[in-house]
Amino acid sequence: MAKQERVMRMSVEQPLWRALTGYRVLTMLYAVGLFATEYDQFDRPGIAIGYYVVLCVWTLATLPRVQNAAACTKRFLAVDLTIALTGIVLTPLVVSQHHIDTGGPTLPSIWTAGSVLAFAIKGGWRWAALASTPVAAANLFERGHPARDTVHNVILVWVASIAIGYVVEVARASERTLARALEIEAATRERERLARDIHDSVLQVLAMVQRRGAVMGGEAAELGRMAGEQEVALRTLVSGGLTSVSRVSADAAQGAVVHVVADESDDDGPLDLRALLAPYASAKVSLVEPGAPVPLPPPAARELAAAVGAALDNVNRHAGEHARAWILVEDEPDEVIVTVRDDGPGIPEGRLAQAEGEGRLGVALSIRGRLRDLGGSAELISPPGQGTEVELKVPKVSRGKAGQR
């Protein structure tokens, strides 16, 4: 069953744009409210009223422009900043000198910061610095001299906008890095899944052709030699592309083909694991199972059955033709445990690591890789001369990605 990986992307900028939208509306109402409360300090209130009409219409009409980076174009930012600067420059013409000397607010008041913040969110700290500079110059022009409160406000807007712009740039870089990491993870997991399928089918068929050809001789021997070369090349390709593989694997090139059970039952309901394991029972393989069904989600049941098949294939190839195997199924409240044991000679110390170095990834992919994807575990115990035991544990509610597909 094919696995489809989806990389979910969440824009870290979107909350900032929503906050900017609310900020522009609230500061517009604040500026109008200040005008209403200090109306007596305006020498030319008509000009102020005209400006506030333009400010309100522009703010409300351009709300869609500050919804995202694509809608917030350079032309919009230029016009928006021009309206803010115009309000600052007009302030000395419409208010009394006392209002200016006491540090009274400009016509747009703190609405101006919204224009600068839009530059910061759109283009980062460089755009923020570019927009803050004319705002600082306009404020100094409005006051007539660099008073302490004016300089304080200018520096505050400058630092805040540049800091926000820098944070936006860092957030964008982190988002790109995360998206790339998720894409690599998805590709790696898909490659591992394909490697398991190749190990359970193509590689073992090539190994069998190589052995049979060597026994038959003649043209069959040449065919076997070519199959062996292709097996080595394919193993190198499969093992070379893996980024996180367990350091334990089995020598998977010298045995019989695994008979993978592919139950095509309805994926909507759980599968009885016993039905998937029953075909493995034979004169040399004993199956001990509970009397009641052992339900598992279809993907988890199929992957667990395939892992059991891979373990039995290792028994066929490494334990000798007279070796016997036993499959024990335990249905626990929270997990299912399947144990595969044999009475073979066991695995020599260091053989698994050597096999993985040669590109033979039977245990790493066909067994442990499958269980890892299901959120379970696979433990291999093989004392020399005492056979091999593989214990497979799968949670009934799968925490792995394979159980969710």
Side-chain angles (χ1 to χ4, degrees):
M1 182 171 55
K3 176 181 179 181
Q4 296 180 349
E5 295 280 0
R6 291 170 48 189
V7 179
M8 303 299 295
R9 295 175 182 260
M10 176 182 175
S11 174
V12 296
E13 302 175 30
Q14 204 55 43
L16 296 176
W17 287 112
R18 288 197 293 267
L20 179 60
T21 302
Y23 178 86
R24 287 168 64 86
V25 174
L26 293 177
T27 53
M28 175 199 71
L29 297 175
Y30 177 75
V32 174
L34 283 180
F35 168 70
T37 57
E38 299 180 357
Y39 183 82
D40 56 340
Q41 297 187 24
F42 284 78
D43 295 337
R44 299 179 178 85
I47 298 177
I49 293 174
Y51 175 78
Y52 284 123
V53 169
V54 173
L55 182 68
C56 292
V57 171
W58 171 257
T59 302
L60 298 177
T62 58
L63 288 180
R65 290 287 189 175
V66 288
Q67 297 295 321
N68 51 67
C72 187
T73 62
K74 294 180 180 180
R75 179 177 298 180
F76 162 76
L77 291 174
V79 176
D80 196 63
L81 184 61
T82 300
I83 291 177
L85 296 176
T86 301
I88 297 175
V89 173
L90 285 177
T91 301
L93 301 178
V94 299
V95 300
S96 62
Q97 188 61 39
H98 175 73
H99 177 88
I100 297 176
D101 293 338
T102 55
T106 60
L107 288 181
S109 184
I110 57 177
W111 185 90
T112 305
S115 298
V116 179
L117 293 177
F119 273 86
I121 300 175
K122 171 70 175 181
W125 70 269
R126 294 175 180 83
W127 286 33
L130 179 65
S132 300
T133 301
V135 171
N139 276 280
L140 293 175
F141 171 81
E142 180 264 343
R143 190 64 183 269
H145 60 280
R148 176 179 297 179
D149 55 349
T150 302
V151 173
H152 172 78
N153 292 334
V154 166
I155 294 178
L156 180 63
V157 173
W158 217 334
V159 172
S161 60
I162 292 176
I164 292 176
Y166 178 75
V167 169
V168 169
E169 289 188 358
V170 173
R172 283 175 180 161
S174 300
E175 184 181 16
R176 289 192 296 268
T177 302
L178 175 61
R180 179 57 180 162
L182 292 176
E183 291 173 356
I184 293 175
E185 180 189 10
T188 300
R189 288 190 173 276
E190 180 63 13
R191 189 177 183 92
E192 288 184 356
R193 185 190 68 81
L194 293 175
R196 288 196 298 266
D197 294 342
I198 291 173
H199 173 268
D200 290 343
S201 55
V202 180
L203 288 177
Q204 299 193 35
V205 170
L206 292 174
M208 183 180 67
V209 172
Q210 181 186 20
R211 294 195 314 275
R212 297 289 178 85
V215 172
M216 296 173 63
E219 294 183 358
E222 178 64 16
L223 179 61
R225 184 189 64 78
M226 295 174 62
E229 293 176 354
Q230 294 302 314
E231 180 201 4
V232 172
L234 187 54
R235 285 189 186 278
T236 302
L237 176 63
V238 171
S239 61
L242 301 178
T243 57
S244 63
V245 177
S246 170
R247 294 307 304 171
V248 183
S249 70
D251 184 358
Q254 302 300 325
V257 177
V258 175
H259 300 284
V260 179
V261 179
D263 190 319
E264 298 299 335
S265 303
D266 186 3
D267 283 358
D268 293 338
L271 293 180
D272 185 358
L273 180 63
R274 301 180 306 168
L276 298 181
L277 297 181
Y280 293 126
S282 65
K284 295 182 179 181
V285 179
S286 301
L287 175 61
V288 181
E289 59 187 16
V294 183
L296 279 176
R302 295 191 184 102
E303 290 290 274
L304 180 55
V308 171
L312 290 175
D313 183 71
N314 287 334
V315 174
N316 293 334
R317 288 182 284 113
H318 303 302
E321 59 180 16
H322 300 295
R324 290 184 53 83
W326 293 265
I327 304 174
L328 173 62
V329 181
E330 301 175 79
D331 188 7
E332 301 293 339
D334 298 327
E335 62 183 1
V336 173
I337 305 174
V338 179
T339 304
V340 180
R341 298 185 59 186
D342 66 70
D343 58 359
I347 303 175
E349 184 177 357
R351 179 68 185 107
L352 294 178
Q354 178 186 355
E356 183 178 349
E358 296 172 356
R360 306 179 185 277
L361 306 175
V363 172
L365 292 180
S366 291
I367 299 179
R368 285 186 170 168
R370 281 189 164 97
L371 273 295
R372 182 182 65 246
D373 286 350
L374 294 172
S377 63
E379 295 186 9
L380 189 146
I381 303 174
S382 183
Q386 300 183 31
T388 301
E389 176 178 318
V390 180
E391 186 180 69
L392 312 173
K393 295 182 180 180
V394 175
K396 290 188 174 180
V397 179
S398 179
R399 298 181 294 269
K401 296 194 175 183
Q404 299 171 1
R405 17 181 228 268

